[in-house]
Amino acid sequence: MTSSVLRHRALLTVGSVAAVALPFLSGATSTSLYTRILIGAVGAIGLNIVTGLTGQVSLGHSFFLAVGAYTAAVLGGTAGRTVIGHDLDMTIWLPAAFVAAAVVGAVVSPIAFRLRGLYLAILTLGMVFVGLHLFREWTSVTGGAGIGRPAAPAVLLGRPLAEDLAVGAVTATSPTQLYLLCLAVFALATLAFVNLRHSAFGRAMVAVRDRDVAAEAMGIASRRVKVVAFALAAGCAGVAGALSAAETGYIEPGSYDVLLSVEYLAIILIGGVGTAAGPLLGAVFVVGMPRIVEWAQPLLPFVAAGTRDDGILTRFELQTFLYGVLIVVFLIAQPDGVSGALTRARDSARTWPFSRLLDHN
Amino acid sequence: MSKSHSTRPAALLLASALLFGAAACGDDSDDTTSTGTSATPGESTAPAGAELELGDGVTEEPCPNAIDESHGCIYLGVLSDLTEGPFAQQGVAVQQGAVAFWRRVNEAGGIGGRFEVDIETYTRDNKYSPEEQVARYREMAPNILAVATSLGTPPTLAGLDLYHQDSMVVVPATFWSGWAFQGGFAPSGYSYCAESMNGLDWANDEFGPIDSVMAIHYPGDYGGDSAAGARVWAEANGVEFQDGDDLQTLPNASAGNQDAAVQALLRRNPDVVMLAVGPRETAEIVGRADAQGYEGRFIGSRPSWVGSLLEGEASQAIIDRFNPVSFIEPWGTDNAANAAMEEILGAGKVPSNDSFLFGWMWQYPVQALLDGAFEDGHLTREALTAALAEGIEVDYEGMMPDQVVGGDPASAVMRDALILQPDPANPLGSEVAEDFFIGDTAADFAFDAPCVEAG
């Protein structure tokens, strides 16, 4: 076994232990933030499959998130005065969210058979608007626009994750339990992505991305590849939607709009399109942005604390502003995202000082 | 590879790691042991001469930016539309009013001369979204004693079970008629339901008789409550109110425009339209209807109005055809509250809009609850909830009639209203068209249940 493989495995082990230990060293708010980052990463893995690996530009990701969230809400949620729910366990509604969204993804995938690039992006955008209208009107499922409904609670094998769990001397609080569950889902999704990327089917996806006509000429069934890509992407989004809803506790149809799709696109662009680490790295920035701004606000003289008039921007406006700025900065300065920057930094460190000598020349 | 290109990834990586590491490892203010209570709930901390129980959100440590570092701190939460939602303009001004209120209290020594109140640290943007509301509430809940402002009826309702679980007193910055029946809420003023009744009674007297009325409103219990009041008024006054007269519309951010509402209005041509939407939608509906020949009147629910409507293209139509209903005297009225606001803001300064007055007003019951809880020796959520259940008398220093908040909903109901006239001569855009009155319909209505049920 080579030293690089050993080093890689050691890093993975250390990283895994750190990831598991993280919530036990953090408060509830931070743990919730980490959970949302993981959920964002899971959804972004799906987008990475269809856009990063297969090259199909999709702005419809929020539609699949909604399908997953509402499938979970109907199966796992409680029936209310105006909404339906069946109080089923998470072991049912979470896989169901994947399957329902994947089926919808497979059904809509034919739009990618003959369209590419901008045209495909516009069509997938159309799905979002169709979805918005559908979910606004389907009040027995969604509660209706501007009102919403409670999400499916996280009840795993009959045990609500809202209750603290004591195992020996260690107590796992509710946020910790949800975090660990999402960590497991993220690990599974990442493993699946890495295996897919290195598989024959993954290479076929890349071939379709690079030149689908040539891929067809080589015997790759590009339509089948696209169907599977959309299905997997939608399935991941469905799981992310269901978990996100469980984490928040409440969902409203207006949330599943174009901006949410753009947010996921931003995650993979900032993190690194097509890379295994990209979804997590991108999610750290995009999902963690409010916390970063909160920390940075006292250092920025032009940003007012709270809602005061003594600045050009308020903290809340800065969050919105920074979000857009970050996407632009990364697209210009780091087209291959944080993952690409990390790779170059690692390579530069490995060949130092020769990397510096080469730079001078 | 150029030198600048090879160092750029490393620099970016370093900056990113520093940024996120600082954020993640920074003061984790969600631990009650770190910035919340210095005394665990139930454990008394004895001030000079008396036992005082400190609950979550109360600490002997000074507030950030404390006026007196020897004072402790009471943290209050705020959930409001501050950026993206249809009421962001009002939400920001409401928060500014609340901040000004507590600055006045803190400068005068705070609660019991011992605790200042912080209403900024736990201010979060709910974007008028029920989902954001619940998520942001969960984040702040461990660290606050009460929610001093929760703006938006649907967003506030979304967290109902959570507030009850946490025994959290919530001040709804909304006028849904059902708050008084929920327990744990400290609403001030009238309800949207009563607002519609009074507005239509006034319009009937001023421009009447009204033969037809239409309600155009947001979905949910803001618009639904207002429309319910319009329906009650119609039934009480023998005016037909069909299903087509009750029209739901969405904020422009969701619907894009008010085409459907305007066309429906022009088709039905009612004498009066009761509007329960946001300011942007008000401007569009009033402006376009007027431009297309509509000659009726518009009565606006209070949230549908903001002074900046007089700066837009629909300003003349707004002045000619639109009257908002309110229960607070406008800026500049001679009363103790206005004088206090003017003093805090400074000579010659004017708030960004008159929602500032509402932000200020909504804090009076909170102050009354905190003062009472301090005197009783229990600055805890349970104590505040219990006091609210008994009912508290609140003095609003003349900006609106004094009111009992909490307690028996029937005795806490406010039926009074006043009518505003948009007027560019006033710094905040409106003058009083009709001073406080109670219309016949509201006077006769029992208000013994919410006009429209939750959800």
Side-chain angles (χ1 to χ4, degrees):
Chain A
M1 194 174 289
T2 63
S3 61
S4 69
V5 171
L6 281 171
R7 193 167 51 239
H8 189 251
R9 286 190 180 180
L11 274 172
L12 207 57
T13 305
V14 168
S16 302
V17 169
V20 171
L22 189 58
F24 296 98
L25 306 171
S26 310
T29 303
S30 292
T31 302
S32 292
L33 175 65
Y34 304 145
T35 303
R36 289 200 301 277
I37 288 172
L38 288 171
I39 293 170
V42 168
I45 286 170
L47 194 59
N48 219 6
I49 292 173
V50 72
T51 300
L53 285 189
T54 319
Q56 308 302 302
V57 181
S58 173
L59 286 174
H61 218 53
S62 62
F63 174 63
F64 302 121
L65 286 157
V67 169
Y70 285 117
T71 301
V74 166
L75 292 177
T78 301
R81 204 166 61 85
T82 54
V83 297
I84 55 178
H86 298 281
D87 292 304
L88 297 176
D89 197 270
M90 197 177 198
T91 50
I92 294 173
W93 58 252
L94 193 57
F98 178 90
V99 169
V103 166
V104 173
V107 165
V108 303
S109 65
I111 60 175
F113 289 171
R114 301 183 67 171
L115 297 172
R116 298 186 191 86
L118 186 62
Y119 301 100
L120 179 60
I122 297 297
L123 261 189
T124 55
L125 195 60
M127 277 189 327
V128 175
F129 294 118
V130 168
L132 277 173
H133 178 77
L134 174 71
F135 294 125
R136 276 182 195 143
E137 297 301 317
W138 203 355
T139 53
S140 61
V141 166
T142 69
I147 303 167
R149 64 165 296 161
V155 176
L156 188 61
L157 298 171
R159 196 189 156 278
L161 297 190
E163 295 170 3
D164 290 354
L165 175 67
V167 180
V170 177
T171 300
T173 60
S174 171
T176 297
Q177 292 173 67
L178 189 60
Y179 167 87
L180 292 174
L181 174 73
C182 293
L183 182 65
V185 172
F186 166 73
L188 204 66
T190 301
L191 195 63
F193 177 84
V194 170
N195 285 338
L196 178 68
R197 194 172 63 160
H198 291 114
S199 69
F201 197 82
R203 288 192 291 276
M205 285 175 154
V206 172
V208 168
R209 180 193 71 193
D210 292 342
R211 197 64 63 93
D212 56 351
V213 173
E216 282 274 359
M218 283 164 46
I220 292 172
S222 66
R223 289 188 176 192
R224 182 166 158 262
V225 167
K226 290 174 183 178
V227 171
V228 172
F230 266 95
L232 289 176
C236 286
V239 168
L243 289 174
S244 175
E247 200 276 331
T248 309
Y250 202 92
I251 44 178
E252 191 266 326
S255 302
Y256 300 101
D257 58 4
V258 175
L259 284 178
L260 186 60
S261 287
V262 169
E263 194 170 303
Y264 275 90
L265 211 51
I267 289 175
I268 64 169
L269 284 172
I270 290 171
V273 180
T275 63
L280 182 63
L281 292 171
V284 163
F285 273 92
V286 174
V287 178
M289 182 56 60
R291 187 64 177 250
I292 295 172
V293 168
E294 218 173 282
W295 171 81
Q297 181 269 317
L299 307 175
L300 301 171
F302 57 88
V303 179
T307 53
R308 297 179 192 205
D309 291 331
D310 52 357
I312 300 172
L313 295 171
T314 66
R315 165 160 58 95
F316 310 101
E317 290 164 343
L318 178 65
Q319 286 173 12
T320 311
F321 177 71
L322 261 187
Y323 176 62
V325 164
L326 208 65
I327 295 176
V328 172
V329 163
F330 267 93
L331 284 177
I332 294 172
Q334 292 293 338
D336 46 359
V338 175
S339 185
L342 281 175
T343 302
R344 279 198 298 282
R346 179 201 65 193
D347 292 343
S348 184
R350 272 183 186 165
T351 55
W352 187 88
F354 301 105
S355 55
R356 291 182 62 84
L357 289 174
L358 288 170
D359 290 344
H360 277 295
N361 295 331
Chain B
M1 182 186 290
S2 69
K3 179 180 176 182
S4 61
H5 192 68
S6 69
T7 55
R8 201 175 355 145
L12 185 67
L13 171 65
L14 184 61
S16 308
L18 276 174
L19 260 179
F20 186 67
C25 301
D27 181 27
D28 191 337
S29 59
D30 60 9
D31 283 335
T32 54
T33 52
S34 58
T35 63
T37 55
S38 60
T40 53
E43 181 181 300
S44 295
T45 302
E51 290 287 322
L52 183 64
E53 183 185 0
L54 305 186
D56 292 324
V58 186
T59 176
E60 297 277 13
E61 299 298 314
C63 294
N65 308 310
I67 294 169
D68 186 334
E69 299 270 326
S70 68
H71 287 172
C73 194
I74 296 171
Y75 289 93
L76 301 178
V78 169
L79 290 153
S80 191
D81 182 1
L82 299 171
T83 51
E84 295 175 16
F87 299 107
Q89 206 175 356
Q90 287 112 313
V92 170
V94 162
Q95 175 62 357
Q96 290 169 341
V99 167
F101 181 95
W102 289 111
R103 187 161 83 238
R104 178 197 183 204
V105 169
N106 292 340
E107 285 175 357
I111 300 297
R114 277 195 56 199
F115 291 91
E116 292 181 15
V117 174
D118 178 299
I119 197 174
E120 291 185 276
T121 300
Y122 294 104
T123 291
R124 298 291 183 267
D125 184 8
N126 72 5
K127 303 178 184 177
Y128 201 72
S129 157
E131 203 171 310
E132 283 291 317
Q133 170 91 3
V134 168
R136 300 291 85 81
Y137 172 77
R138 282 173 191 259
E139 285 173 9
M140 69 169 60
N143 309 304
I144 57 173
L145 181 61
V147 176
T149 308
S150 178
L151 191 144
T153 308
T156 304
L157 275 172
L160 202 56
D161 289 343
L162 294 175
Y163 315 141
H164 289 155
Q165 275 171 28
D166 296 336
S167 298
M168 189 75 74
V169 164
V170 176
V171 175
T174 103
F175 315 137
W176 174 51
S177 58
W179 295 125
F181 300 90
Q182 299 304 312
F185 287 91
S188 294
Y190 58 43
S191 65
Y192 296 125
C193 192
E195 178 183 66
S196 294
M197 295 178 206
N198 281 321
L200 290 169
D201 266 333
W202 175 80
N204 196 46
D205 291 341
E206 192 74 12
F207 309 108
I210 297 173
D211 294 322
S212 54
V213 65
M214 188 174 182
I216 299 177
H217 60 93
Y218 280 170
D221 296 317
Y222 158 42
D225 211 42
S226 178
R231 187 181 290 274
V232 166
W233 182 89
E235 285 169 5
N237 291 273
V239 174
E240 200 175 3
F241 192 85
Q242 301 171 341
D243 286 344
D245 294 317
D246 182 336
L247 182 72
Q248 268 193 32
T249 186
L250 290 171
N252 279 356
S254 302
N257 55 57
Q258 299 301 310
D259 283 355
V262 171
Q263 294 312 312
L265 187 167
L266 292 172
R267 256 195 323 272
R268 300 190 85 81
N269 197 28
D271 292 334
V272 178
V273 177
M274 189 69 213
L275 280 180
V277 291
R280 218 168 279 148
E281 293 75 32
T282 296
E284 184 176 340
I285 292 170
V286 174
R288 288 177 58 188
D290 178 72
Q292 294 182 62
Y294 176 68
E295 293 181 350
R297 303 290 307 184
F298 293 90
I299 302 296
S301 179
R302 189 60 184 80
S304 67
W305 158 253
V306 71
S308 61
L309 289 185
L310 298 182
E311 297 164 14
E313 289 178 4
S315 58
Q316 196 56 52
I318 297 274
I319 291 167
D320 293 342
R321 301 201 173 281
F322 177 75
N323 293 94
V325 189
S326 185
F327 59 83
I328 287 186
E329 301 270 15
W331 177 261
T333 309
D334 182 20
N335 56 55
N338 264 294
M341 283 185 270
E342 286 172 17
E343 187 182 337
I344 279 289
L345 283 176
K349 285 197 172 175
V350 172
S352 53
N353 65 65
D354 54 7
S355 297
F356 180 99
L357 283 71
F358 283 84
W360 178 282
M361 174 274 298
W362 272 312
Q363 304 312 307
Y364 281 109
V366 183
Q367 184 186 16
L369 281 171
L370 292 178
D371 284 338
F374 179 86
E375 284 168 21
D376 292 343
H378 302 282
L379 274 171
T380 65
R381 290 181 198 160
E382 289 75 16
L384 296 186
T385 306
L388 190 61
E390 294 289 320
I392 49 165
E393 292 211 17
V394 181
D395 173 6
Y396 294 93
E397 293 193 289
M399 69 189 308
M400 60 176 269
D402 293 350
Q403 189 177 5
V404 171
V405 174
D408 174 23
S411 64
V413 68
M414 177 180 175
R415 290 179 168 83
D416 313 65
L418 56 86
I419 307 294
L420 298 177
Q421 170 61 46
D423 183 353
N426 181 285
L428 296 188
S430 65
E431 290 291 348
V432 174
E434 181 77 34
D435 212 335
F436 281 108
F437 71 98
I438 300 177
D440 291 341
T441 311
D444 293 340
F445 193 74
F447 292 105
D448 53 3
C451 290
V452 64
E453 292 295 333

